[in-house]
């Protein structure tokens, strides 16, 4: 095997290929050769007279060792190699490969402390850093780093000799990669070695790099950022307290004369260093530091530097006073910087309206989060001063700014007490406790005046959020006082919003006060009878009250009260007080509007509660839903030609929303019980299990809304039927013998029973929801009944066009339900819709349906527990879009327009990412879509083009290609004479305004004069919104130059 090693050595000396190194290491690893064999084979090269051969010999040895398994290098081998490499450090030609070998050796388990001492001495004696290039110096630092990391005690034993030699070695290094290692070594030496005699020298070789101004070159392969260097250097600067006396003057110099970036860096570094340098150094330099920091706080160049200066002030105070915290009592007087700075700030606060007062209060607020004694001292000086200032009759105009300063201080006090949330402060141990009566007093007075109300509310909010500060009785006092703001008729929305926010904060932990004091006031403000049409002020008042309740009553206890009180109001508004009493016709609309507002309030609060995951929503399936059904059933059954507000379809829509929201939160078992009651009422006519309330529904009335001859007011109630079903879990079985029969009956009802769009949409949504959950059980319905419905109700040209369009809507929702869950029948249904493109009466409706099928809706959603397959819209688009594009290009005019309609509808329905890569082929078709006589299609096409333009960036090649056509089409669509639709005109003008930002000037230049001239005509458009967009677009084109 010696011959093989010899051959590998000779080959490498000649070619220097990596392969020979790998093979040599492999031979040693397998035991076919030993290190001794390798050294023998290299013998003539290791001792050669020629510098090049000698260097190559040592290089090969180092490369092979680096790839050898550590167990192949025993103690004797390592000792011999160490001595060999240390000897080679004397040879200027072999110093580099020798260092590489030492990098490997110093990591080996067999490397000993004695070797470490030998290596470090050899490096110090023979290595001259200033003659080495960066990568070679990096190798030296790597060896030293390995030794310091693994053989610290041996190096410590060298004492001053090691420290002095290392300082000489590291002095003057400039490369960032080497500095990262040097800083790490420096930090260890400063923390663990005895460096007292050399502290000034170490200071010189570290602080000379502060502040770091390094900027990495573009595409830096080493990935060292300025932040990495700063962090490494800071680790060194705060490694030893002895740096303090030397470092502080340097930091002061940088703060005084440095650039903004240097100042920020200095402030961040001081935050880390001051606690290590200790209270003595901080106290000695306190006044000088404060003078520099004060300048950055009271005359800030930017807000970031100001924040950092405040943080450094906090650190300085903490460093000075935290050591004394345990030794001095609470009552001990604060002396030194904290007292002087506090006095300065109090002096400035004598003029609270001046801008300097804002900076002064920030300093005092910063003091609150330093030490408990400083926080108490700050409050003892500042709070009485601000309270006295507020109560001074001469300072009456300055009450608002005074309260703002006080509110900021209270918030800072609150933040200073937010420690462990599980541990409550001891009674009386909250810093603000001694002054809470006076503070509560001035804040309460401040509430009475609009100018000072906002800061007063902010101050109160901070007080109620301060743990263990206010008693329960005091919380009640706060609620009582802020209630007065809500009772005022003035529309001070900002103040009332802040008041509601405060009450919401209180209700989150003490709802009894809001429930007992605030809610009764608000409910009293709601009338029992709807205000008349003429009583506009009363109407505004109840709108405002309901808005207050909506924001206030999300907490479970308050929501329960809201439901009870608003349900009662709803009964009073919707149901006549005496049987047979009829409401005047002119009072019906106001009553319906009032009832609608009440229902909308309940729906909005429920939405918020569900969004926040409140568990109490579930119980309102028993407490609210039956009352709603009762009101609407009772009104429909007893209407009989009389005016009843609850028969208004708009009220039914909101009630349906409430029922669906509550049903969403139920588990499958509870939903099943509820659905049985719903089906018993709607299919069996027995409403007693579903509808419960004050009004008792007479037993002799007939409830059969799904009968074709039922009154319209009863048929409208199918909205509430659908609302109960569309949010069911997939596991819930419908209480009917055969779901196919049910769906077929509902399908036929949409044709023969539904009288208006409200009824038809409700049943269509119901069919869609059932199909989406249970399609696997309904193959016969899908293959036979749906096909028959399609043939008879859609394809039969003898049927009236409106009826065919209604049937198309039903068929669209059936297809949508299947597509969302990934059912194969969905695409078969789409094929049928394509077949209608030859039928001029309904081809556009079929085209719109194809485009709308994958679009988002509020029925088939995750929240409603629909079965949804991932990426269904993208898969649909990939299947249908090529067919639409092909048809639009190849078809004759009638079919071609239908394909264009389908394209416009589809791109509006699906995510932009599904068609972005096909915009080049879609653009000509979209331009033709702008000529279709349908405003909705035009608007959606322009919206698509707008989205493509905004996402395409500057110099959009596709837009440049079609620039002339786009400009002429948008100008045409922006003129009122040619485009009656305001929405289309506004969209076209917005697109025109965007073009100069995304297309080069040389492309658009030929159109500029035409655009500016034509847009001048649009400036006379009758609609203000259009004129506004025209001004914007024309200005953009005017400014557009090469």
């Amino acid at each position: 095997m010696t011959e093989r090693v010899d051959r590998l050595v000779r080959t490498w000396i000649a070619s220097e290929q990596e392969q020979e190194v790998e093979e040599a290491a492999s031979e040693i690893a397998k035991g076919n050769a030993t290190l001794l064999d390798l050294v023998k084979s290299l013998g003539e090269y290791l001792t050669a007279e020629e510098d090049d051969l000698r260097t190559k010999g040592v290089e090969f040895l180092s490369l092979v060792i680096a790839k050898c398994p550590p167990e192949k290098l025993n103690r004797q081998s390592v000792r011999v190699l160490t001595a060999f490499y240390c000897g080679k450090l004397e040879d200027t030609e072999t110093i580099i490969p020798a260092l590489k070998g030492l990098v490997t050796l110093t990591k080996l388990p067999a490397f000993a402390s004695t070797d470490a001492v030998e290596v470090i001495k050899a490096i110090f004696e023979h290595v001259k850093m200033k003659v080495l290039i960066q990568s070679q110096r990096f190798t030296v630092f790597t060896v030293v780093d390995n030794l310091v990391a693994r053989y610290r005690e041996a190096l410590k034993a060298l004492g001053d000799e090691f420290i002095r030699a290392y300082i000489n070695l590291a002095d003057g290094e400039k490369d960032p990669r080497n500095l990262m290692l040097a800083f790490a070594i420096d930090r260890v030496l400063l923390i663990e070695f005895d460096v007292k005699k050399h502290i000034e020298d170490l200071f010189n070789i570290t602080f000379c790099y502060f502040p770091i101004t390094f900027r990495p070159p573009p595409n830096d392969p080493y990935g060292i950022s300025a932040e990495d260097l700063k962090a490494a250097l800071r680790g060194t600067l705060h490694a030893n307290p002895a740096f303090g006396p030397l470092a502080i003057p340097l930091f002061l110099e940088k703060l005084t004369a440095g650039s903004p970036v240097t100042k920020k860096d200095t402030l961040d570094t001081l935050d880390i260093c001051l606690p290590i340098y200790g209270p003595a150094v901080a106290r000695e330099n306190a006044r000088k530091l404060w003078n520099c920091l004060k300048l950055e706080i009271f005359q800030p160049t930017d807000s970031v530097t100001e924040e950092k200066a405040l943080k450094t002030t906090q650190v300085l105070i903490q460093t000075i006073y935290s050591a004394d915290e345990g030794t001095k009592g609470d009552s001990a007087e604060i002396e030194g910087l904290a007292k002087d700075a506090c006095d300065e700030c109090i002096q400035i606060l004598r003029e609270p309206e001046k801008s300097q007062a804002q900076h002064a209060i920030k300093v005092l607020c910063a003091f609150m989060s330093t030490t408990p004694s400083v926080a108490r001292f700050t409050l003892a000086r500042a709070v009485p001063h601000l309270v006295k200032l507020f109560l001074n009759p001469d300072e009456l105009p300055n009450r608002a700014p005074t309260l703002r300063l006080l509110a900021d201080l209270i918030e800072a006090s609150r933040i200073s007490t937010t420690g462990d949330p599980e541990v409550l402060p001891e009674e009386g141990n909250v810093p603000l406790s001694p002054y809470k009566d006076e503070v509560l007093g001035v804040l309460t007075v401040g509430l009475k005046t609009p100018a000072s109300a906002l800061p007063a509310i902010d101050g109160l909010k901070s007080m109620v959020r301060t743990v263990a500060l206010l008693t329960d009785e005091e919380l009640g006092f706060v609620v009582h006082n802020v209630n007065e703001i809500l009772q005022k008729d003035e529309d001070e929305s900002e103040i009332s919003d802040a008041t509601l926010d405060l009450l919401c904060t209180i209700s989150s932990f003490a709802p009894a006060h809001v429930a007992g004091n605030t809610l009764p006031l608000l409910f009293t403000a709601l009338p029992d009878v709807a205000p008349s049409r003429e009583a506009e002020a009363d109407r505004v008042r109840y709108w405002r009250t309901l808005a207050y309740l909506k924001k206030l009553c999300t907490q479970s206890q308050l929501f329960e009260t809201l439901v009870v009180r608003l349900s009662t109001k709803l009964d009073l508004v919707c149901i006549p007080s005496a049987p047979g009493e009829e409401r005047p016709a002119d009072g019906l609309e106001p009553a319906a509007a009032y009832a609608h507002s009440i229902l909308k309030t309940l729906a909005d609060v429920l939405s918020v509660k569900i969004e926040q995951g409140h568990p109490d929503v579930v119980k309102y399936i028993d407490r609210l839903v039956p009352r709603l059904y009762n009101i609407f059933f009772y009104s429909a059954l007893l209407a009989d030609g009389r005016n009843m507000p609850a028969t208004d379809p708009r009220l039914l829509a909101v009630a349906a929303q409430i029922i669906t929201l509550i049903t969403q939160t139920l588990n499958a078992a509870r939903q099943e019980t509820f659905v049985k009651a719903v089906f018993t009422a709607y299919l069996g006519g027995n409403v007693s299990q579903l509808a419960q309330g004050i009004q008792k529904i007479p037993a002799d009335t007939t409830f059969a809304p799904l009968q074709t001859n039922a009154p319209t007011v009863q048929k409208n109630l199918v909205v509430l039927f659908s609302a109960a079903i569309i949010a069911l879990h997939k596991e819930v079985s419908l209480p009917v013998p055969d779901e196919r029969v049910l769906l077929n009956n509902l399908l036929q009802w949409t044709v023969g029973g539904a009288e208006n769009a409200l009824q038809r949409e409700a049943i269509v949504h119901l069919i869609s929801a059932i199909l989406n959950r249970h399609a696997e059980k309904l193959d016969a319905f899908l293959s036979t009944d749906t096909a028959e419905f399609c043939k008879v109700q859609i394809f039969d040209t003898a049927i009236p066009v409106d009826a065919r369009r209604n049937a198309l809507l039903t068929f669209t929702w059936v297809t949508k339900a299947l597509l969302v869950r990934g059912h194969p029948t969905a695409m078969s249904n789409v094929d049928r819709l394509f077949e209608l493109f030859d039928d001029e009466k309904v081809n556009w409706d079929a085209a719109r349906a194809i485009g709308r099928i994958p679009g988002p809706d509020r029925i088939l959603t995750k929240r409603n527990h629909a079965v949804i397959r991932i990426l269904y819209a993208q898969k649909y688009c990939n299947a249908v879009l090529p067919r639409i594009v092909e048809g639009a290009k190849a078809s004759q005019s009638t079919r071609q327009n239908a394909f264009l309609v389908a394209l416009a509808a589809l791109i509006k329905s699906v995510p932009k990412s599904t068609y972005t890569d096909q915009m080049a082929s879609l653009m000509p078709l979209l331009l033709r879509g702008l000529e279709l006589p349908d405003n909705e299609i035009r608007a959606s096409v322009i919206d698509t083009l707008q989205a493509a333009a905004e996402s395409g960036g500057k110099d959009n090649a596709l837009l440049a290609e079609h620039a002339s056509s786009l400009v002429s089409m948008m100008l045409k669509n922006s003129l009122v004479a040619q485009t009656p639709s305001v929405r289309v005109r506004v969209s076209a003008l917005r697109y025109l305004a965007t073009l100069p930002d995304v297309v080069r000037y040389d492309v658009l230049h030929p159109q500029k004069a035409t655009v500016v001239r034509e847009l001048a005509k649009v400036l006379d458009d009758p609609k203000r919104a259009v004129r506004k967009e025209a001004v914007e677009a024309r200005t953009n084109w005017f400014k557009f130059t090469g």
Side-chain angles (χ1 to χ4, degrees), residues 56 117 191 221 331 334 401 543 550 598 601 643 841 873 903 934 940:
K56 283 186 176 182
V117 172
I191 292 174
S331 58
I334 293 288
W543 285 340
K550 180 169 73 175
I598 291 172
T601 301
N643 298 321
K841 292 181 179 178
L903 175 64
D934 185 294
S940 65

Side-chain angles (χ1 to χ4, degrees), residues 924-947:
L925 303 178
L926 293 172
L927 286 169
R928 279 159 51 193
L930 289 174
E931 296 177 340
L932 293 173
D934 185 294
N935 293 325
E936 185 184 346
I937 291 172
R938 290 192 193 186
S940 65
V941 168
I942 296 173
D943 290 345
T944 301
L945 292 171
Q946 181 80 31

Side-chain angles (χ1 to χ4, degrees), residues 464-475:
V464 302
R465 292 176 65 204
T466 303
V467 180
L469 176 61
L470 298 182
T471 64
D472 192 60
E473 186 180 344
E474 286 162 342
L475 284 172

Side-chain angles (χ1 to χ4, degrees), residues 451-508:
S452 59
L454 273 176
I457 292 168
D458 289 344
L460 287 169
K461 186 177 177 183
S462 296
M463 288 188 79
V464 302
R465 292 176 65 204
T466 303
V467 180
L469 176 61
L470 298 182
T471 64
D472 192 60
E473 186 180 344
E474 286 162 342
L475 284 172
F477 174 75
V478 171
V479 171
H480 173 75
N481 279 281
V482 296
N483 282 345
E484 294 178 15
I485 295 175
L486 296 181
Q487 290 178 282
K488 295 177 182 176
D489 276 347
E490 295 88 6
D491 188 19
E492 295 283 351
S493 58
E494 194 177 3
I495 295 174
S496 57
D497 284 349
T499 304
L500 290 169
D501 197 38
L502 170 59
L503 290 170
C504 286
T505 302
I506 295 172
S507 69
S508 65

